Amino acid sequence: MASDHYSVLGIPRTAKADDIKKAYRKLARKHHPDLNPNSADAKKKFQEINEANEVLSDPVHRKKYDAYGEQWKHAAQYDQAGKEQGSRPSDGGGFSGDPFGSGASNEEELFGSFFGGGRGRQVKFRGQDYQTELHLDTDAAYRTHKQTLTVNTGSGAGASSKQIRITIPAGVENEQSIRVGGQGGAGVNGGPSGDLYITFMVAPHPRFKRVGKDLFFTQDLDLPTAMLGGEITVETMNGKVKLKVAPETQNGTKVKLKGKGFPVYKQEGQFGDLFVTYNVKLPTGLSEREHELFRELAAIRNTASA
């Protein structure tokens, strides 16, 4: 018997959409196969969590699940069959009040009739949609690349997994979702396959802050270069570049490197900008000669302002 989706996520049947999302993410991270590589129980639990989220996070699917349980995907056929059976004449010339008719005593018999087990015709069903998360670091999200993704299908004794090869376009954002058509559950009776929805979870970069297509970072600048100007080398996500520093650059000065930011999603050759903020570092551990030079400089500055 399939597990109850609400119990799997540890939420009440009255849970809101945000509660479902929070419960799913918490449990998915805890039982993710990458964090439990040698645990068959964790893999099974992860599959159940994914299936529960796929159903309960979709308002339409959830409504059907609440009404029909594990047979929710066939809700429309149940409703239609009930109407047709309920409108057939009874032996006495009236209409039968039995929604399943005299030949079907329960929903299992009715369900079987859809697939050739009874007098009903076969009905094609679209396969179930799958949802999964794919974790990337910022460097991976910066470049278009291919990756093999393991997708868990089903739950309980019938649980399995499949691998698909996908191309991840440069510029994907954190929590962005894409649809891969036809990579969901198989259809029934020749029906079309469902789709796969992938949500990208992009980890923050240790150096750069990303805001959409733009990047921001802080560059230390020594005092002599800030005062006299010069040339420095800065790291970007696509290699090193040389940058000219203007004389008398103030602490907190921001400069823009056009086109050195993040790739724009699905716009080949388009990039955001890189914004560099200077952090002027005051020297420490001065020698006596350096102290003497700063005293001379102070005297000159005081005389000039007098």
Side-chain angles (χ1 to χ4, degrees), residues 7-283:
S7 298
V8 168
L9 295 182
I11 55 176
R13 301 185 76 86
T14 56
K16 304 294 184 182
D18 285 346
D19 298 327
I20 295 172
K21 185 176 182 180
K22 290 177 182 178
Y24 166 69
R25 288 189 173 178
K26 179 180 179 180
L27 292 172
R29 290 190 178 96
K30 178 180 179 181
H31 297 284
H32 198 285
D34 290 348
L35 301 179
N36 304 274
N38 301 316
S39 175
D41 289 340
K43 180 179 180 181
K44 177 181 177 182
K45 184 68 174 177
F46 186 71
Q47 292 168 340
E48 292 179 346
I49 292 166
N50 271 320
E51 183 178 6
N53 180 65
E54 287 163 8
V55 176
L56 300 185
S57 63
D58 185 307
V60 176
H61 291 174
R62 182 182 180 183
K63 183 177 180 180
K64 294 177 181 178
Y65 180 79
D66 288 344
Y68 295 97
E70 62 184 282
Q71 301 297 344
W72 66 270
K73 287 185 287 187
H74 309 296
Q77 285 71 30
Y78 276 126
D79 291 342
Q80 182 61 32
K83 292 177 182 178
E84 293 176 357
Q85 295 286 355
S87 63
R88 289 180 179 176
S90 66
D91 293 339
F95 289 93
S96 170
D98 176 9
F100 299 112
S102 59
S105 60
N106 53 47
E107 68 175 24
E108 284 77 11
E109 291 184 30
L110 174 64
F111 181 70
S113 73
F114 288 139
F115 304 99
R119 57 182 176 271
R121 61 182 177 86
Q122 287 192 337
V123 179
K124 294 181 179 180
F125 295 106
R126 182 179 180 276
Q128 182 179 356
D129 290 339
Y130 293 147
Q131 297 183 21
T132 190
E133 287 186 357
L134 181 57
H135 293 256
L136 301 173
D137 58 31
T138 306
D139 290 308
Y142 183 85
R143 295 174 175 83
T144 297
H145 66 285
K146 294 184 180 294
Q147 190 163 329
T148 299
L149 178 65
T150 300
V151 180
N152 297 303
T153 63
S155 63
S160 61
S161 63
K162 66 176 181 177
Q163 291 187 328
I164 63 170
R165 187 78 168 167
I166 61 172
T167 298
I168 302 174
V172 293
E173 297 198 36
N174 184 45
E175 296 190 349
Q176 177 181 345
S177 293
I178 65 171
R179 180 181 67 86
V180 183
Q183 291 295 336
V188 177
N189 290 334
S193 297
D195 298 328
L196 171 64
Y197 291 86
I198 304 173
T199 300
F200 295 101
M201 308 302 291
V202 182
H205 194 276
R207 178 175 173 82
F208 300 99
K209 178 182 179 181
R210 179 186 177 189
V211 181
K213 66 181 185 302
D214 295 326
L215 294 173
F216 299 80
F217 85 101
T218 300
Q219 173 69 43
D220 288 341
L221 200 62
D222 63 63
L223 184 60
T225 303
M227 292 294 96
L228 303 176
E231 187 176 79
I232 62 173
T233 300
V234 297
E235 292 277 359
T236 73
M237 291 202 66
N238 195 30
K240 298 179 179 180
V241 298
K242 290 184 177 181
L243 184 61
K244 289 185 178 181
V245 179
E248 300 181 10
T249 293
Q250 299 297 304
N251 185 50
T253 296
K254 183 180 293 185
V255 296
K256 179 175 74 173
L257 302 183
K258 188 174 179 59
K260 294 297 182 180
F262 218 74
V264 180
Y265 181 71
K266 285 193 173 181
Q267 294 187 31
E268 188 71 25
Q270 298 295 313
F271 291 81
D273 300 323
L274 173 62
F275 294 87
V276 182
T277 300
Y278 289 130
N279 176 40
V280 179
K281 301 282 289 185
L282 297 180

